[in-house]
Amino acid sequence: MRKFLFKISFYIIGIAAVLLLLGSYADGNTDDNYMHFAVEKPQNIILGDSRSVQGIVPDVLKTKLSVPFDNFSLNIVQSPYGPIYFKALKRKLDPDTKNGIFILTVNPWNLSLNNIVKKSEDFPEENSPFKNMYFYNMSPNYEYLIKNLDKSWFRIYLDREEVGRSNTFLHKDGWMEVQIDMNKDSVAARTAEKTEYYRAMLENYTLSQERIKALTDIIDYLQPKGKIYLVRIPTSKNIITLENKRFPEFNGLMRDLARKKHIRFYDFSNRPDDYVYTDGNHMFRESGKVLTSQIADSIKTSLKKSE
């Protein structure tokens, strides 16, 4: 028995060594979320969903505001506003933050719930990596790879950035750079499909008091640590029209919240034709840089007024 255990220990050590080596190659190609858990804790942060992870470019903010940013947005299923996202933010943000800049992107979808959801255990983000992660600043982050990687660890090495960036490459600062066919017909087809997707969702979703409360709690948590800005990112005209028809009160609610909390609300959704979209819902990367620059200019103006 002792000999058997001695022999098998070599196999276990060997397997562990291989996994440790493979995990060391994890990067922005590994999956769409890994890098959110493998960088230093930031003091300036962007919150939201897939619209903001693709549409707000931290490097542009850094250039214009002279401080580094981290885009801590995932997608509408994994990072809507709620207790799980709030808990993740507390683990992500540098605890010594005092003069941070916080951009909280809002839209009807990351503040709503499907009407069939009756219990918090059924919230979609219950399956988010935010639910099971403790460490947010480890590199390599083996906790993430063990708990959340849904492919072979050998793919980490085979798909590493050194070989070539993936079509959805997650930068270290949290920006997802999407490479996609921008041929006019391809964009039109994707936009039509995405529009129908949202049209089908409309009647099944309602603004959620639980989500609005979580957003308010996040604002209260961040307020002593710096300046907060609510931002509504534009989409194509057909999608924004659907949203405004189903949720006509949304912008008013955000303005009221901003007034109550003495923060700024920047609504860019009334200028949908100023930007290019990959599918009607998400910003094309060059338009994202333009939007980010406009957000930065608005923040700079606000900061000057508060001096």
Side-chain angles (χ1 to χ4, degrees), residues 49-295:
D49 52 27
S50 60
R51 290 180 185 176
S52 54
V53 78
Q54 295 180 42
I56 299 186
V57 186
D59 196 50
V60 174
L61 293 172
K62 181 180 179 180
T63 298
K64 303 208 74 169
L65 298 174
S66 302
V67 291
F69 277 80
D70 184 279
N71 195 327
F72 194 46
S73 311
L74 272 65
N75 57 59
I76 195 62
V77 174
Q78 296 178 325
S79 63
Y81 290 105
I84 290 175
Y85 200 11
F86 186 17
K87 186 176 180 180
L89 171 64
K90 290 178 180 178
R91 288 179 172 165
K92 175 75 170 180
L93 191 67
D94 184 340
D96 296 326
T97 301
K98 295 179 180 177
N99 296 296
I101 297 175
F102 313 115
I103 299 172
L104 280 55
T105 66
V106 291
N107 62 67
W109 305 107
N110 63 14
L111 286 167
S112 66
L113 267 175
N114 192 310
N115 296 329
I116 66 172
V117 175
K118 304 301 181 185
K119 300 179 296 183
S120 59
E121 306 92 83
D122 297 328
F123 280 27
E125 63 266 35
E126 285 290 320
N127 295 314
S128 169
F130 289 155
K131 174 70 174 181
N132 63 26
M133 288 295 296
Y134 183 82
F135 295 106
Y136 284 72
N137 62 330
M138 294 175 60
S139 183
N141 193 327
Y142 292 104
E143 182 197 13
Y144 180 89
L145 298 176
I146 291 169
K147 292 180 176 179
N148 296 294
L149 189 67
D150 60 359
K151 62 183 181 182
S152 166
W153 283 44
F154 287 99
R155 296 304 320 177
I156 300 174
Y157 176 77
L158 295 173
D159 297 338
R160 66 195 187 280
E161 181 186 356
E162 183 181 342
V163 176
R165 288 184 175 181
S166 66
N167 291 333
T168 55
F169 180 76
L170 191 64
H171 289 254
K172 290 181 179 179
D173 59 16
W175 175 49
M176 181 179 288
E177 183 176 6
V178 175
Q179 302 281 351
I180 195 169
D181 180 8
M182 290 301 292
N183 175 276
K184 184 178 180 180
D185 291 340
S186 298
V187 173
R190 290 193 299 268
T191 300
E193 181 180 358
K194 188 66 71 172
T195 302
E196 288 309 306
Y197 170 79
Y198 277 106
R199 195 190 307 278
M201 290 174 62
L202 286 178
E203 297 306 317
N204 297 323
Y205 279 76
T206 305
L207 288 176
S208 163
Q209 291 305 310
E210 292 95 331
R211 298 217 182 282
I212 293 172
K213 181 182 183 304
L215 174 62
T216 304
D217 290 343
I218 288 172
I219 291 170
D220 290 341
Y221 170 73
L222 292 174
Q223 209 141 29
K225 301 177 183 296
K227 299 288 186 181
I228 302 169
Y229 302 91
L230 297 181
V231 174
R232 186 174 182 184
I233 295 175
T235 64
S236 61
K237 185 179 291 185
N238 47 357
I239 290 180
I240 206 70
T241 299
L242 288 174
E243 290 181 1
N244 289 341
K245 184 177 180 180
R246 176 65 183 86
F247 305 99
E249 75 279 27
F250 182 78
N251 280 349
L253 284 173
M254 293 301 101
R255 284 192 290 268
D256 290 344
L257 178 60
R259 273 195 299 269
K260 180 180 177 182
K261 296 298 181 180
H262 306 288
I263 61 179
R264 301 276 183 174
F265 171 48
Y266 299 127
D267 177 22
F268 292 90
S269 68
N270 57 357
R271 291 153 43 190
D273 293 337
D274 289 359
Y275 311 94
V276 177
Y277 310 91
T278 61
D279 58 2
N281 186 47
H282 300 102
M283 285 264 173
F284 177 53
R285 61 180 182 272
E286 297 306 320
S287 277
K289 293 174 183 178
V290 172
L291 173 68
T292 305
S293 181
Q294 293 168 341
I295 293 171

Side-chain angles (χ1 to χ4, degrees), residues 34-52:
Y34 172 76
M35 291 308 301
H36 291 301
F37 301 87
V39 295
E40 293 181 3
K41 293 189 175 187
Q43 295 196 350
N44 308 285
I45 205 163
I46 302 151
L47 300 181
D49 52 27
S50 60
R51 290 180 185 176
S52 54

